[in-house]
Amino acid sequence: MTEAESTQAALLKMAQTIGGLVASVDTLTRQWRDQDEKASIGRRDMHQKIDRVVDDFRTLEGLVKAAISDIADMKPIVDAVEVAKLKASGALTAGRWIYWLVFGSGGGAAVLWIASHFFQVTLK
């Protein structure tokens, strides 16, 4: 092999090596670009998800405020109903006591005797 042929072979081998390096750099550049695009898409998706969660929380906040307002409006009515139930229960208990005092164990006769001495019933 002559010196020109060995130089030519060395140049060819160097060109192949440089071509391989260029191809590797191109591949790495494409991979980095793809990863950057995927990462930016992921960041965009994450931001969109966070924005949706924030919107949901704002909606929930409005619903809770409306519910609190409704409950505050209903509280006096509920309290009034509770008071009425207690009064009705007390009246029922008092009625039972009066019934048993008047009609139990001769109490009715005593009431009639008292009523006959204080009230005059006449026919016209």
Side-chain angles (χ1 to χ4, degrees), residues 83-102:
V83 168
K85 281 173 43 179
L86 288 174
K87 286 181 180 179
S89 174
L92 181 65
T93 303
R96 286 182 182 152
W97 275 100
I98 291 170
Y99 175 82
W100 286 111
L101 285 175
V102 170

Side-chain angles (χ1 to χ4, degrees), residues 35-99:
Q35 288 175 352
D36 278 348
E37 287 176 13
K38 288 178 183 176
S40 70
I41 289 171
R43 282 191 298 270
R44 253 182 301 173
D45 288 346
M46 184 178 63
H47 286 293
Q48 289 172 351
K49 288 178 183 177
I50 290 173
D51 289 342
R52 283 194 299 265
V53 168
V54 168
D55 289 342
D56 289 346
F57 273 119
R58 285 186 182 141
T59 302
L60 183 62
E61 179 185 22
L63 292 172
V64 168
K65 284 182 180 179
I68 289 172
S69 175
D70 291 345
I71 290 169
D73 291 343
M74 289 186 287
K75 184 153 177 42
I77 296 168
V78 170
D79 291 344
V81 168
E82 288 295 323
V83 168
K85 281 173 43 179
L86 288 174
K87 286 181 180 179
S89 174
L92 181 65
T93 303
R96 286 182 182 152
W97 275 100
I98 291 170
Y99 175 82

Side-chain angles (χ1 to χ4, degrees), residues 100-112:
W100 286 111
L101 285 175
V102 170
F103 296 107
S105 67
V111 169
L112 289 174

